[in-house]
């Protein structure tokens, strides 16, 4: 077990009707609030009106139209609104993209320069406005971590700001707000969360404690996403998915583990930066091919444990047979959710593979990962994913 220094300062408020606590949660943070949201879904469901009703004693400023794979332009606009109006706190209502954008806005609002300086670590993030979120999608786990993934399409960059200053102060999690999520987004969200756990599971060293927690989260997601796809209003399934996704990206399930390098995410971030695809779908497409590429004498034991404990594969089989069966089952599971499982299905061809591979692994970026990959290795994964 490796050393760790762990703190999650985020308060989770979970369950039916917990939005009623919103005024009490926001009051200590100030009276001027930037409300950040995406398209029209929160208006269609009535959540937007409910928020305004509960915060009728507050001064509300709005930033709408935040896109999936949130764009840098929204960060700039939001930070400007905050600075010009002396906003006290940011309230994100939506999925992980809205919250990721809000986190960078909160940091940018406390910085006089270009927020891109913070996102690219040109200067350190030393403070941020308080952030509260109301989640409407189970996927990214942003409600329980200190990460903000932002896309800058003009530069073909999708990158992550990490700072303890951007942990949400409070995350409001009501599973009923996920009842209207489409089948496609429900499936993609599950794939995203499973990938988060894989990035913690396929590491070295690991512990039995962490392995058990990771396996429990994976199995819960796999079980409950199938229920939610069949019956979108099944409260228990949606509730488990919501907590699963929060835990999947919080380091509590990997305390003391070695680092994996988050290679699958590095590859998918390049795909999204160039093609703006759905994040969870990109991860589902890439993951089996990444697994096949890293399978070796060094990693086989990890795949055996995964195959036996998650998929119930006969432990008496040869280790590489178990590993390959487990990878096949992973692919089949994602396909069973209706997720497109080739890059071609999401509009990506081989035109920019070498360029993306160099962005991902050039200058030895992936040389210190659990299973190091070269530029050529990444290009092979991408081609195999076509």
């Amino acid at each position: 077990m490796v050393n760790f220094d762990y703190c999650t300062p985020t308060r989770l408020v979970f369950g039916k009707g917990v939005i009623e606590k919103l005024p009490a949660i926001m009051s200590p943070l100030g009276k001027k609030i930037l409300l950040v949201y995406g398209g029209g879904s929160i208006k269609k469901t009535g959540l937007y009106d409910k928020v305004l009703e509960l915060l009728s004693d507050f001064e509300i400023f709005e930033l709408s139209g935040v896109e999936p794979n949130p764009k840098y332009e929204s960060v700039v606009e939001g930070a400007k609104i905050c600075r010009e109006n002396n906003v006290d706190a940011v309230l994100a209502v939506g999925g992980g993209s809205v919250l990721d954008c809000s986190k960078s806005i909160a940091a940018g609002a406390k910085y006089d320069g270009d927020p891109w300086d913070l996102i690219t670590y040109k200067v350190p993030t030393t403070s941020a406005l308080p952030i509260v979120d109301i989640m409407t999608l189970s996927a990214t786990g942003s409600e329980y971590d200190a990460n903000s993934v932002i896309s800058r399409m003009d530069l073909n960059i999708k990158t992550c700001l990490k700072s303890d200053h951007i942990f949400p102060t409070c995350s409001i999690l009501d599973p009923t707000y996920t009842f209207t999520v489409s089948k496609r987004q429900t499936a993609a969200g599950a794939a995203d969360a499973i990938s988060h756990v894989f990035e913690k599971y396929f590491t070295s060293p690991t512990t039995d404690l962490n392995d058990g927690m990771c396996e429990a989260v994976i199995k819960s997601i796999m079980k409950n996403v199938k229920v939610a796809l069949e019956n979108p209003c099944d409260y228990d399934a949606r509730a488990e998915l919501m907590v699963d996704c929060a835990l999947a990206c919080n380091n509590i399930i990997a305390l003391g583990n070695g680092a994996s390098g988050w290679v699958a995410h590095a590859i998918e971030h390049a795909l999204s930066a160039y093609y703006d695809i759905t994040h969870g779908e990109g991860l589902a497409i890439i993951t089996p091919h990444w697994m096949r590429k890293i399978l070796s004498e060094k990693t086989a034991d990890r795949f055996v444990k995964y195959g036996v404990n998650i998929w119930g594969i006969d432990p008496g089989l040869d280790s590489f047979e178990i590993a390959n069966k487990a990878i096949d089952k992973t692919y089949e599971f994602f396909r069973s959710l209706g997720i497109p499982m080739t890059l071609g299905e999401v509009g990506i061809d081989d035109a920019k593979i070498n360029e993306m591979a160099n962005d991902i692994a050039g200058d030895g970026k992936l040389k210190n990962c659990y299973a190091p990959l070269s530029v050529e290795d990444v290009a092979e994964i991408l081609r195999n994913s076509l």
Side-chain angles (χ1 to χ4, degrees):
M1 181 178 285
V2 302
N3 294 358
F4 62 84
D5 185 339
Y6 176 78
C7 177
T8 298
T10 300
R11 172 187 175 192
L12 297 182
V13 180
F14 173 87
K16 293 179 182 177
V18 293
I19 195 174
E20 298 295 339
K21 297 183 180 181
L22 183 61
I25 291 168
M26 301 303 300
S27 289
L29 307 180
K31 285 294 185 180
K32 292 186 174 184
I33 309 298
L34 176 64
L35 173 61
V36 184
Y37 56 98
S41 62
I42 69 166
K43 293 185 177 180
K44 292 176 183 176
T45 62
L47 180 54
Y48 172 83
D49 290 337
K50 182 65 174 178
V51 168
L52 293 187
E53 175 191 337
L54 289 169
L55 299 182
S56 59
D57 291 336
F58 293 74
E59 187 175 1
I60 306 296
F61 304 89
E62 296 188 23
L63 175 66
S64 63
V66 174
E67 300 173 281
N69 297 318
K71 307 303 184 289
Y72 175 63
E73 290 79 6
S74 294
V75 175
V76 172
E77 184 178 354
K80 180 181 178 183
I81 294 171
C82 289
R83 287 193 296 266
E84 290 180 348
N85 296 282
N86 295 313
V87 164
D88 298 310
V90 179
L91 174 62
V93 182
S97 293
V98 170
L99 180 49
D100 276 16
C101 186
S102 297
K103 289 176 176 180
S104 285
I105 287 171
K110 302 289 282 186
Y111 175 62
D112 289 335
D114 186 341
W116 194 244
D117 294 344
L118 305 175
I119 296 169
T120 56
Y121 304 98
K122 182 179 179 180
V123 298
T125 299
T126 57
S127 63
L129 293 175
I131 306 152
V132 174
D133 59 87
I134 303 169
M135 297 306 294
T136 62
L137 176 66
S138 301
T140 69
S142 190
E143 63 272 18
Y144 208 30
D145 71 21
N147 301 334
S148 170
V149 180
I150 301 297
S151 295
R152 188 156 178 178
M153 304 307 292
D154 60 321
L155 302 178
N156 294 132
I157 293 175
K158 181 176 181 179
T159 190
C160 182
L161 170 62
K162 300 181 180 181
S163 169
D164 287 348
H165 296 286
I166 59 173
F167 270 111
T169 299
C170 182
S171 294
I172 296 173
L173 310 178
D174 183 338
T176 64
Y177 292 146
T178 67
F179 285 179
T180 58
V181 174
S182 69
K183 287 188 175 184
R184 178 182 178 184
Q185 289 299 329
T186 297
D192 188 5
I194 290 171
S195 182
H196 291 156
V197 185
F198 283 162
E199 304 273 24
K200 296 176 171 68
Y201 190 82
F202 288 94
T203 64
S204 181
T206 62
T207 69
D208 290 336
L209 173 63
N210 292 327
D211 284 352
M213 289 192 291
C214 287
E215 289 160 5
V217 173
I218 291 170
K219 288 191 283 189
S220 177
I221 296 170
M222 288 181 170
K223 173 186 175 182
N224 287 289
V225 69
K226 289 293 188 78
V227 177
L229 289 173
E230 183 69 25
N231 180 5
C233 296
D234 187 301
Y235 180 84
D236 291 334
R238 290 291 192 180
E240 285 214 38
L241 282 174
M242 186 161 253
V243 177
D244 290 336
C245 291
L247 290 176
C249 209
N250 181 282
N251 284 331
I252 196 169
I253 64 172
L255 296 181
N257 273 14
S260 72
W262 285 68
V263 174
H265 273 74
I267 296 172
E268 198 292 320
H269 282 180
L271 293 173
S272 290
Y274 278 79
Y275 294 97
D276 203 20
I277 64 172
T278 299
H279 178 56
E281 291 181 349
L283 288 168
I285 293 167
I286 290 297
T287 293
H289 301 287
W290 163 71
M291 286 179 161
R292 198 85 66 188
K293 183 62 183 178
I294 71 167
L295 177 58
S296 67
E297 293 288 348
K298 172 190 170 184
T299 64
D301 286 348
R302 281 279 85 197
F303 282 100
V304 168
K305 193 165 191 177
Y306 169 64
V308 171
N309 292 351
I310 296 296
W311 296 111
I313 298 171
D314 181 358
L317 298 175
D318 172 79
S319 61
F320 278 84
E321 184 176 359
I322 295 172
N324 281 298
K325 283 180 177 289
I327 295 169
D328 289 342
K329 286 182 177 294
T330 304
Y331 176 93
E332 291 162 5
F333 171 77
F334 287 140
R335 175 66 86 184
S336 75
L337 300 184
I339 295 174
M341 289 303 292
T342 67
L343 293 179
E345 291 174 78
V346 294
I348 298 175
D349 58 23
D350 63 356
K352 297 182 179 179
I353 281 181
N354 291 334
E355 187 178 349
M356 290 190 292
N358 189 67
D359 287 348
I360 296 161
D363 299 322
K365 291 186 183 79
L366 302 183
K367 68 179 181 180
N368 295 319
C369 296
Y370 167 62
L373 295 176
S374 67
V375 172
E376 292 75 20
D377 293 330
V378 172
E380 180 182 342
I381 291 171
L382 291 170
R383 289 192 181 93
N384 289 340
S385 302
L386 290 171

